[in-house]
Amino acid sequence: MLGWALTFLIIALIAAALGFGGIAGASAGIAQILFVVFLILFVIAMVARAVRGKPPV
């Protein structure tokens, strides 16, 4: 999921450099949403691992 966020971020940067404002804005928005989802899933995974008694890596 982090890979998708980075991909959309790169697409947004390229589109912004070429002057495609709408595509750049949409891609940046998608990248932000995916990054937040990734962070939430990461925190849930770390909490679940701690609850099971395994130390965080």
Side-chain angles (χ1 to χ4, degrees):
M1 181 144 338
L2 186 58
W4 281 104
L6 292 175
T7 300
F8 278 106
L9 177 64
I10 291 170
I11 290 172
L13 291 174
I14 292 171
L18 296 176
F20 300 113
I23 296 172
S27 296
I30 293 171
Q32 287 176 342
I33 291 168
L34 288 175
F35 185 72
V36 169
V37 170
F38 168 77
L39 284 179
I40 291 169
L41 291 175
F42 177 73
V43 169
I44 291 171
M46 295 307 287
V47 168
R49 185 175 175 96
V51 167
R52 283 187 271 155
K54 296 181 182 177
V57 177

